[in-house]
């Protein structure tokens, strides 16, 4: 616990800080709960009614016994503690989350126990432990007020024999409130006097709830529970306690210290001693809430899933009737996070007045009390897209969609199950909760125990009870008895006090006594402590294994703390890419998400700050464990494997706790008589006395060794702090920097409980708005920097720092942020996705307008139409609208949920570079936004909304394929447009054309195009142009790589001069251009009837809507390369590169292929483009072979490089037949055979790919099979070269050829695989 320890030396080490009593103030009488009135005000404001009139009147529809009345802190001791100021409103609200509760003698009035915590802004926590019981109301004014209220209720509802149930409402908050209204109401089976739920002052005894609370700095749950239980027993017992109650309260407040680390402590309650222990410096931190109960309630499988959701910082809502269960599960799950800590909103018990906080657009972990019998389906929550809903009482959880699983989950579940089975707990969980029997009590007694119930049976029920709290009648009696000493006399005395028969007591004593003189309750506490630590060690062991080398990836870049804090936002503290590349493949989906969380960022921050400050305690323990693990295992390769490593210290961790509890290290001072006034605080059975505040307001002077020792240590610590103060930043400044540097959740760990005025609520919502905007700025910036870094690598600059996995994680995180923004301030909700709900409302409204405007040529309703990707004349424009993209998503049958549809729509809009524009269009309908959202919602803050859209607009500067790459199995319509050279005479063909489009995910198969489907368009000069347009639908092809274009050479006009082929994905709008510029036909060009064209993503037109923004250079272009002209086409005219340029181009092409193989396999993209594209290897080698080539027309016939290859092969074959080759070396002979075999296979292929196509295929096959460098010397040595190449040709220069062979040799290290479209029909 942080804070300034400026009080007396001993004070910070006290076991308890405050003792608090909450209940009814008899002087002010019955007051309606102000928080309930505030809630009515908020609801009226949300519904558009006048809030002031709505909250003014009394609610007479409900029986007064079910209404909430204002509770007050009646007393707290001491008045204030300097390092932990008393927050009266917060403590009152959490001690009695629903205000005062009234009962009559006909109702069950069993004591209840629950705990709570208060999280301060710096993250430190204070724990509260509450024992609630019912006390008879003796004030005539309150009884008569209750009588009057009941009569008014009857007058308003004369026919109501039973309380009216809340009507169902479409409002999410209404349904939440109705679920809470009657959670504490008595069982309907219990009969009442007068009408059911009635009160008659003349014959009914009225009881009201009162709470005793201990507030402590550490969660000693078992010890506090036992102490408060004993204090209540002293009040309820027939005989007064041995000492006045002030003695016991004074003792625990001032004379009981915190146990030192690694030690145990015994102190004394009213009747029995109480033992607690504290882990040592190298052990896991204290966690006293019973983890075994959490596993019993949820089961191992559910708990591991909940643990996973917590690690990924989702919104988590716990739901139970029992406050203590909420606290037990919340504390249990956060305890398992070691060495990480939950950094966001943490409210294990959410008071009814704070229900609006479920609207918070941040990760949270909150607990909500349910009403008995409430149907989960009727519980509407403000946002559910990223919600993990935990129904504790029904032992089930509802998980968000699509999140990565925790690594080695099956093995983890198996190990946890084995630990639980050793302690006799079923790993399946979900044992039905034991019902608390309603015992009949007589007026004047709080809990008279039934002597008729067998104590043995009570003990069994107690052991079977899966719950931690709310033990009723008999169980509590037996529990109290079991807490006694071993002596029979003491037990008999207690038995007489509590009315239990001696015979039954002896039976209980026989079983209650355990080994070593410990009672059954002490034995149970020891068992729980051992189970707790073993379960926690299993989880801690997983993190020790997964993050064993995390220190190697921490980036220590700042020279001092001040500069680090100042530049925190701009700094990269952790090398995420390198860390992920060092992890086993199965861990990557989870780890890539987890290292983006706030809890991981804070963990790394603490690590960096530890070089200037004392290590944070959790970090110190974790680092110690890693260092210990290294002693036994010096970073062996096994650490990087995904093999599951079981925890090896389970036994010793349990032994450490057992030894501490068996051998008590310290005993606190016994309670003793105080210097009190005589006659005050007179004992009266069943009533908690008014304590003497003067003896409880201050502690004793330093009269014991503990406080002296602590004071000395504190003085030493203060001196050290003063000496180092000038070396470090001022604490306030540091906290300010840290809060600004971290996300919103850090600042809002818990809603402010002390002031809940509408102004404070508005301020809280404003903080949320600012936080969402900041988060959007950080996320878009991160996405841009990472993506641009990757594309810079494609262009040959810098180092890669993003993988597809990381990119997908960042986009998923953006989807989550948009859902939270759209959920903030939502008042009308359909389904689980707030964004999709808004889109559906928009769609319904626009389609209605569209129907009204059907006469208009271009309806206004769909927003501005745009011409997209019209990179060439002939490609018709693609309408881009919000509605159109929604229809695409709605037609995808594979997506079943609203959350999935919303995420798909976001991905599609992001890929189309329309996300900002679409959302701007969606929000332009202000009337709809006002109808759907409250006044404080993010989407109704105009300035922040504009900034938000601007941040999203910046994402248009980079290319994403986040829709295409994720939805790989959907059917997509493609449009192919074949554009001939612009002369009209060359555009006509009588043959039957066909295309086959290939992409990274597959090919479309051969698609026949109807003959002469010519469309005519006009350019800006009104010149006519024709093209062939074809539509087809096939499974998603991914990024397109090649198009095979051909025809069957039929008819009179079979020859066809094609400029290019354009192919567009009709959903994403991505258009690919496949340049050709060649003839297809026999007897023209190289005689090809089929060409394999290599594509690239087409740039948008300059006249396109500038809202789309600029685009990064194409990923396959190299900035230094000019576009290669086909030297062989059009008689060899065109650009002719120099020898130096050719050699540089070959080196660059090989270099790009090497880089391609050095990327992770999933990040490589298309190898075909690198081989056959504009700056590919084939083109570079083609230029090499064309240098000095005698390609002049002989008798009007063009000579091609393939002609040279064929002549060389023919020479080799003839020389082989004549026997000339037999004298050559054996390897050279085999190489000749292989070259002849490959050329023969290519020539005999059924495909008519032309001579240039055949040369391309030969180069690709040679590169694949590592034969190129063997074939080159053969071609160089062949005499044919002298006839076909000039003397100055590169191919005739031995030095150049040897250099080329050395460059191509580097490709032998990589497994080159060729696309099916390239090698189709080749049998090798």
């Amino acid at each position: 616990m942080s804070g300034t320890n400026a009080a007396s030396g001993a004070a910070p080490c006290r076991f308890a800080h405050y003792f608090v009593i909450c209940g009814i103030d008899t002087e002010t009488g019955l007051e309606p709960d102000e928080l309930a009135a505030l809630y009515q005000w908020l609801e009226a404001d949300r519904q558009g009614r006048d809030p002031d009139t709505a909250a003014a009147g009394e609610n007479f529809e409900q029986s007064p016994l079910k209404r909430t009345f204002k509770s007050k802190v009646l007393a707290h001791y001491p008045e204030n503690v300097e390092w932990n100021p008393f927050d009266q409103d917060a403590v009152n609200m959490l001690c009695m989350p629903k205000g005062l509760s009234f009962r009559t003698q006909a109702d069950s009035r069993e004591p209840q126990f629950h705990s709570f915590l208060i999280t301060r802004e710096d993250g430190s926590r204070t724990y509260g432990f509450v024992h609630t019981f019912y006390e008879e109301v003796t004030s005539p004014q309150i009884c008569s007020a209750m009588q009057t209220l009941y009569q008014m209720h009857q007058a308003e509802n004369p026919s109501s024999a039973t309380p009216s149930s809340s009507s169902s409402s479409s409002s999410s908050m209404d349904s939440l409130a109705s679920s809470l209204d009657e959670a504490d109401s008595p069982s309907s089976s219990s009969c009442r006097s007068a009408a059911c739920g009635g009160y008659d002052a003349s014959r009914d005894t009225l009881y009201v709830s009162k709470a005793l609370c201990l507030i402590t700095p550490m969660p000693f749950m078992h010890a506090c529970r036992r102490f408060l239980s004993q204090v209540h027993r002293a009040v309820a017992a027939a005989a007064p306690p041995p000492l006045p109650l002030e003695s016991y309260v004074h003792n625990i407040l001032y004379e009981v210290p915190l146990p030192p680390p690694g030690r145990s402590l015994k102190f004394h309650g009213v009747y029995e001693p109480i033992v607690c222990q504290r882990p040592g410096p190298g052990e896991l931190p204290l966690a006293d809430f019973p983890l075994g109960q959490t596993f019993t309630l949820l089961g191992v499988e559910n708990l591991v899933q909940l643990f996973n959701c917590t690690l990924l910082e989702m919104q988590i809502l716990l739901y139970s009737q029992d406050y203590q269960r909420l606290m037990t599960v919340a504390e249990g799950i956060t305890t398992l996070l070691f060495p990480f800590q939950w950094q966001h909103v943490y409210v294990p018990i959410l008071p009814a007045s704070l229900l609006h906080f479920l609207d918070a657009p941040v990760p949270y972990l909150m607990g909500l009390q349910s009403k008995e019998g409430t149907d989960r389906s009727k519980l509407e929550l403000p946002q559910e897209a990223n919600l993990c809903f935990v129904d504790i009482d029904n032992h089930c959880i509802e998980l968000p969609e699509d999140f990565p699983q925790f690594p080695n989950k099956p093995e983890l579940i198996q190990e946890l199950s084995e630990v639980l089975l050793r302690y006799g707990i079923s790993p399946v969980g979900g044992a039905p909760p034991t019902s608390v029997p309603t015992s009949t009590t007589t007026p004047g007694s709080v809990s008279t125990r039934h002597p008729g119930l067998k104590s043995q049976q009570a003990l069994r029920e107690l052991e079977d009870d899966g719950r931690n709290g709310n033990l009723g009648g008999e169980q509590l009696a037996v529990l109290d008895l079991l807490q006694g000493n071993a002596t029979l006399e003491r037990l008999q005395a207690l038995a007489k006090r509590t009315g239990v028969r001696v015979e039954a007591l002896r039976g209980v004593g026989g079983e209650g006594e355990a080994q070593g003189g410990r009672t059954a309750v002490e034995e149970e506490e020891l068992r729980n402590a051992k189970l707790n630590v073993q379960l926690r060690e299993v989880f801690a062991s997983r993190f020790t294994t997964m993050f064993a080398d995390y220190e190697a990836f921490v980036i220590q870049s700042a020279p001092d703390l001040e500069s680090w804090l100042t530049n925190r936002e701009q700094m990269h503290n952790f090398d995420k890419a390198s860390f992920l590349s060092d992890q086993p493949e199965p861990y990557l989906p989870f780890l890539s998400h987890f290292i983006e969380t706030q809890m991981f960022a804070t963990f790394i921050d603490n690590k960096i700050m530890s070089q200037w400050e004392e290590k944070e305690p959790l970090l110190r323990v974790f680092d110690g464990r890693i260092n210990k693990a290294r002693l036994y295992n010096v970073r062996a390769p096994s650490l990087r494997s995904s093999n599951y490593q079981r925890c090896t210290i389970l036994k010793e961790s349990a032994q450490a706790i057992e030894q501490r509890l068996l051998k008590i290290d310290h005993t606190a001072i016994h309670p003793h008589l105080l210097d009190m006034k005589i006659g005050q605080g007179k004992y009266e059975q069943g009533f908690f006395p008014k304590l003497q505040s003067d003896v409880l307001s201050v502690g004793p002077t330093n009269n014991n060794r503990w406080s002296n020792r602590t004071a000395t240590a504190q003085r030493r610590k203060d001196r050290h702090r003063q000496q180092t103060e000038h070396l470090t930043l001022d604490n306030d400044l540091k906290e300010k920097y840290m809060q600004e540097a971290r996300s919103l959740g850090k600042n809002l760990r818990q809603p402010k409980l002390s002031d809940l005025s509408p102004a404070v609520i508005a301020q809280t919502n404003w903080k949320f708005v600012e936080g969402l905007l900041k988060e959007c700025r950080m996320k878009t910036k991160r996405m841009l920097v990472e993506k641009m870094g990757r594309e810079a690598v494609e262009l040959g600059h810098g180092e890669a720092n993003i993988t597809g996995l990381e990119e997908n994680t960042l986009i998923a995180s953006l989807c989550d942020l948009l859902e939270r923004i759209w959920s903030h301030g939502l008042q009308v909700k359909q389904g689980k996705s707030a964004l999709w709900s808004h889109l559906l409302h928009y769609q319904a409204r626009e389609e209605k307008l569209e129907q009204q405007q059907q006469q208009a040529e271009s309806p206004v309703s769909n927003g501005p139409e745009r011409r997209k990707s019209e990179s060439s004349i002939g490609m018709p424009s693609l309408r881009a609208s919000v509605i159109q993209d929604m229809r695409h998503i709605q037609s995808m049958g594979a997506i079943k949920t609203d959350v999935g549809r919303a995420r798909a729509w976001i991905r599609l809009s992001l890929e189309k570079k329309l996300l900002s524009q679409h959302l701007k269009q969606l929000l332009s309908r202000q009337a709809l936004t006002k109808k759907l959202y409250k006044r404080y919602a993010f989407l109704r803050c105009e300035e922040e909304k504009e900034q938000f859209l601007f941040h999203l607009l910046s994402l248009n500067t980079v290319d994403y394929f986040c829709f295409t790459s994720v939805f790989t199995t959907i059917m997509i319509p493609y449009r192919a447009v074949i554009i001939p050279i612009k002369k009209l005479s060359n555009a006509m063909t009588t043959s039957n054309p066909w295309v086959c489009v290939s992409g990274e995910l597959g090919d479309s198969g051969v698609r026949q195009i109807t003959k002469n489907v010519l469309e005519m368009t006009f350019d800006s000069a009104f010149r006519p142009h024709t093209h062939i347009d074809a539509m087809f639908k096939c499974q998603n092809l991914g990024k397109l790589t090649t198009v095979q274009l051909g025809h069957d050479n039929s008819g009179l006009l079979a020859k066809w001069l094609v400029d290019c082929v354009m192919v567009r994905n009709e959903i994403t709008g991505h258009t690919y251009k496949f340049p050709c510029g060649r003839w297809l036909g026999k007897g023209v060009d190289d005689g090809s009837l089929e060409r394999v064209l290599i594509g690239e993503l087409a740039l948008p037109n300059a006249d396109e809507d500038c809202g789309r923004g600029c685009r990064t250079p194409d990923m396959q272009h190299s900035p230094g390369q000019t576009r290669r002209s086909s030297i062989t086409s059009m008689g060899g005219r065109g650009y002719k590169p120099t020898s130096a340029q050719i050699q540089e181009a070959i080196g660059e092409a090989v270099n790009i292929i090497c880089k391609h193989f050095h990327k992770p396999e999933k990040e490589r993209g298309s190898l075909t483009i690198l081989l056959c594209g504009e700056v590919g290897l084939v083109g570079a080698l083609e230029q090499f072979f064309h240098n000095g080539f005698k390609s002049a027309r002989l008798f009007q016939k063009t000579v091609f490089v393939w002609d040279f290859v064929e002549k060389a092969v023919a020479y080799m074959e003839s020389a082989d037949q004549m026997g000339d080759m037999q004298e050559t070396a054996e390897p050279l002979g085999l190489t000749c055979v292989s070259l002849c075999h490959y050329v023969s296979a290519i020539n005999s292929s059924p495909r008519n790919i032309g001579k240039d196509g055949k040369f391309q295929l030969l180069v690709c096959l040679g590169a694949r099979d590592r034969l190129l460098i063997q074939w080159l010397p053969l071609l160089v040595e062949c005499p044919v070269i002298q006839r076909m190449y000039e003397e100055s040709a590169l191919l005739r220069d031995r030095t150049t050829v040897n250099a080329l062979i050395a460059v191509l040799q580097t490709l032998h290290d990589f497994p080159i695989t060729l696309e099916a479209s390239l090698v189709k029909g080749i049998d090798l």
Side-chain angles (χ1 to χ4, degrees), residues 1079-1125:
W1079 284 93
L1080 281 88
K1082 288 289 185 185
V1084 65
D1085 205 334
D1086 64 348
S1088 172
L1089 293 180
E1090 172 191 337
R1091 294 200 184 278
V1092 178
L1093 309 178
I1094 310 302
E1096 60 185 26
L1097 193 61
L1099 291 168
N1101 271 0
D1103 61 352
E1104 259 192 45
D1105 182 1
C1106 60
R1108 176 166 173 145
C1110 60
R1111 181 179 172 279
T1112 47
D1114 189 79
M1115 292 200 293
Q1116 306 304 342
H1117 275 285
S1118 181
Q1121 292 288 339
T1122 55
R1123 176 171 171 152
R1124 173 175 64 90
S1125 301

Side-chain angles (χ1 to χ4, degrees), residues 730-929:
D730 175 71
N731 276 340
D732 293 339
L733 179 63
K734 171 188 158 185
E735 189 58 37
K736 173 176 171 285
Y737 276 133
M738 291 307 291
Q739 288 189 357
E740 287 176 357
R742 293 172 184 161
S743 75
L744 173 71
K746 193 79 174 174
N747 301 331
L748 281 162
R749 304 271 184 104
Q750 180 167 302
K752 195 171 183 182
L753 304 177
S754 50
D755 180 8
L756 282 172
S757 64
V760 169
I761 291 170
Q763 185 183 3
T764 302
N765 277 306
W766 185 246
K767 278 186 179 180
F768 283 142
V769 169
E770 288 181 328
L772 287 169
L773 185 61
K774 179 181 176 184
E775 193 178 346
C776 180
R777 175 169 58 84
M778 298 293 285
K779 275 189 166 51
T780 50
K781 179 182 173 185
R782 171 87 196 281
M783 290 171 72
L784 280 173
V785 169
E786 299 283 22
K787 186 72 175 173
M788 284 177 157
R790 167 68 185 276
E791 293 190 351
V793 174
E794 301 283 359
L795 299 170
H797 309 296
E799 292 297 325
N801 59 351
I802 188 171
T803 64
L805 192 71
E806 283 181 278
E807 181 179 304
N808 202 37
T809 301
L810 293 174
I811 291 168
S813 176
L814 178 68
C815 293
D816 169 46
L817 173 64
L818 292 181
E819 277 292 358
R820 285 191 279 119
I821 286 174
W822 255 258
S823 298
H824 183 236
L826 184 67
Q827 61 185 5
V828 179
K829 184 160 174 281
Q830 292 176 344
K832 290 194 173 184
S833 168
L835 174 57
W836 191 250
S837 172
H838 193 169
L839 284 166
L840 289 173
H841 279 102
Y842 175 84
Q843 185 181 29
R845 187 188 181 103
E846 299 301 305
E847 285 177 346
K848 187 176 177 183
L849 285 173
E850 196 174 347
Q851 288 172 2
Q852 295 169 359
Q853 298 170 352
Q854 275 178 350
Q855 307 305 320
E857 192 172 349
S858 57
V860 183
S861 57
N862 280 318
E865 289 193 15
R866 293 214 347 239
R867 291 178 172 271
K868 273 185 90 271
S869 303
E870 194 168 345
S871 302
S872 172
I873 293 171
M875 181 66 81
S877 64
L878 184 67
R879 191 173 76 175
S881 76
V882 177
I883 303 292
Q884 191 60 41
D885 286 345
M886 282 187 70
R887 288 173 182 155
H888 286 314
I889 303 302
Q890 287 165 329
S891 67
M892 291 165 60
I895 304 176
K896 308 290 185 188
T897 64
D898 287 352
V899 175
R901 292 184 190 102
R903 289 178 179 173
W905 184 86
I906 292 167
R907 286 176 176 274
L908 177 58
S909 303
L910 187 60
E911 183 163 327
K912 294 174 79 167
K913 303 190 185 225
L914 290 172
L915 183 58
S916 180
Q917 182 181 317
H918 276 356
L919 293 178
K920 186 174 184 179
Q921 182 67 24
L922 178 65
L923 296 171
S924 67
R925 301 291 184 257
Q926 292 190 353
L928 178 61
T929 310

Side-chain angles (χ1 to χ4, degrees), residues 1031-1048:
M1031 287 282 293
F1032 61 90
K1033 200 170 187 178
C1034 65
Q1035 189 166 305
N1036 185 1
L1037 302 176
K1039 293 181 191 175
L1040 303 188
T1041 52
T1042 63
V1043 160
Q1044 297 166 68
L1045 174 67
H1047 64 79
D1048 61 359

Side-chain angles (χ1 to χ4, degrees), residues 1157-1173:
F1157 283 102
H1158 279 103
K1159 294 178 193 173
E1161 191 171 346
K1162 293 178 182 175
E1163 316 303 326
R1164 289 176 182 171
S1166 171
L1167 183 60
T1168 304
I1169 293 174
L1170 305 185
L1171 288 170
C1172 308

Side-chain angles (χ1 to χ4, degrees), residues 135-367:
E135 195 174 75
E136 184 180 341
V137 178
T138 54
S139 164
Q141 292 89 347
I142 289 174
C143 290
S144 63
M146 183 62 71
Q147 176 83 55
T148 304
L149 286 172
Y150 182 67
Q151 288 168 352
M152 293 169 76
H153 163 68
Q154 277 191 313
E156 289 281 331
N157 303 275
S159 61
S160 64
T162 56
S164 59
S165 61
S166 305
S167 59
S168 63
S169 164
S170 61
S171 156
S172 57
M173 286 302 161
D174 284 345
S175 59
L176 279 175
S178 66
S179 75
L180 293 169
D181 284 340
E182 303 177 14
D184 267 346
S185 65
S187 161
S188 59
S189 61
S190 61
C191 53
R192 299 168 180 269
S193 62
C196 190
Y199 172 65
D200 184 345
S202 63
R203 62 171 174 267
D204 289 332
T205 307
L206 190 64
Y207 295 88
V208 67
S209 54
K210 180 173 272 190
L212 307 178
C213 173
L214 271 182
I215 292 179
T216 67
M218 298 186 78
F220 290 107
M221 192 272 293
H222 285 101
C224 293
R225 181 174 187 164
R226 291 181 66 183
F227 177 82
L228 292 171
S229 171
Q230 290 184 39
V231 170
H232 176 235
R233 277 172 55 204
V235 172
L243 294 170
L245 288 182
E246 286 88 344
S247 294
Y248 303 105
V249 174
H250 182 275
N251 179 252
I252 199 164
L253 283 178
Y254 300 110
E255 296 170 335
V256 177
L258 282 175
R263 300 299 180 92
S264 55
L265 170 78
K266 182 166 79 172
F267 65 95
H268 292 268
V270 182
Y271 299 113
E272 298 97 21
I274 298 167
V275 176
C276 58
Q277 59 88 31
R278 189 171 166 190
E283 298 176 57
L284 296 177
L286 176 68
D288 206 28
F289 290 85
L291 266 178
Q293 184 194 343
T294 306
F295 277 87
T296 303
L297 288 168
L298 296 179
V300 180
E301 176 99 27
N302 282 343
L303 192 126
V304 171
Q305 289 284 47
L306 172 59
F307 172 70
N308 195 10
C309 292
T310 311
L311 285 171
L312 298 177
E313 295 187 336
M314 297 175 177
Q315 292 178 322
I316 293 162
L317 184 62
L318 310 176
Y319 193 60
S320 173
Q321 293 181 53
D322 187 338
Y323 287 132
Q324 185 59 14
R325 284 188 179 183
L326 294 173
M327 189 73 182
T328 300
V329 174
E331 279 293 286
I333 207 68
T334 51
T335 294
L336 298 176
L337 298 177
F338 169 87
F340 307 103
Q341 291 172 288
W342 181 257
Q343 297 295 320
H344 300 278
V345 175
Y346 182 60
V347 191
I349 297 174
L350 187 68
S353 56
L354 289 180
L355 289 180
H356 63 279
F357 218 76
L358 290 171
D359 203 14
V362 291
Y364 59 67
L365 201 167
M366 296 201 255

